[in-house]
Amino acid sequence: QVQLVESGGGLVQAGGSLRLSCAASGRTFSYAMGWFRQAPGKEREFVAAISWSGRNTYYADSAKGRFTISRDNAKNTALLQMNSLKPEDTAVYYCAADYFDADYVPLEYNYWGQGTQVTVSS
């Protein structure tokens, strides 16, 4: 199975940018990856996902036009570039992965990282 470690969270002012990174180890082949977030008092929600091949991506409406998901399979890393951040983007961001065919983008995952905090001040 795959193990995931997120990094890159922090405190940023509204309108700023952050880039989250997810490093995978273990069984690192043919896995899709996704990003989710959970704000205090709210349920975890989907943010973005990318297929193993990298050819297909999918975004939540809240992320479209502001966030970009990408991956580098040679480095076993997925990135989430977040621009034009808003206070409502404040949450713990989780990386997730699971094993699927090359071009499939799932919304449900079995493997999760520990999360990284993103705080956007107004």
Side-chain angles (χ1 to χ4, degrees), residues 19-35:
R19 187 174 72 171
L20 305 183
S21 179
C22 177
S25 61
R27 183 189 161 198
T28 54
F29 185 78
S30 193
Y31 58 98
M33 299 186 79
W35 287 96

Side-chain angles (χ1 to χ4, degrees), residues 4 42 57 61 69 72 80 87 93:
L4 305 169
K42 296 187 177 181
T57 57
D61 287 343
I69 189 171
D72 184 340
L80 184 68
Y93 282 71

Side-chain angles (χ1 to χ4, degrees), residues 95-111:
C95 175
D98 214 331
Y99 299 99
F100 291 97
D101 292 340
D103 291 326
Y104 185 66
V105 183
L107 296 181
E108 295 185 355
Y109 295 81
N110 285 310
Y111 304 100

Side-chain angles (χ1 to χ4, degrees), residues 27-59:
R27 183 189 161 198
T28 54
F29 185 78
S30 193
Y31 58 98
M33 299 186 79
W35 287 96
F36 291 73
R37 67 186 183 186
Q38 187 167 20
K42 296 187 177 181
E43 293 187 353
R44 185 170 60 194
E45 65 176 5
F46 169 78
V47 177
I50 187 167
S51 63
W52 162 249
S53 67
R55 286 190 287 267
N56 294 326
T57 57
Y58 185 69
Y59 294 91

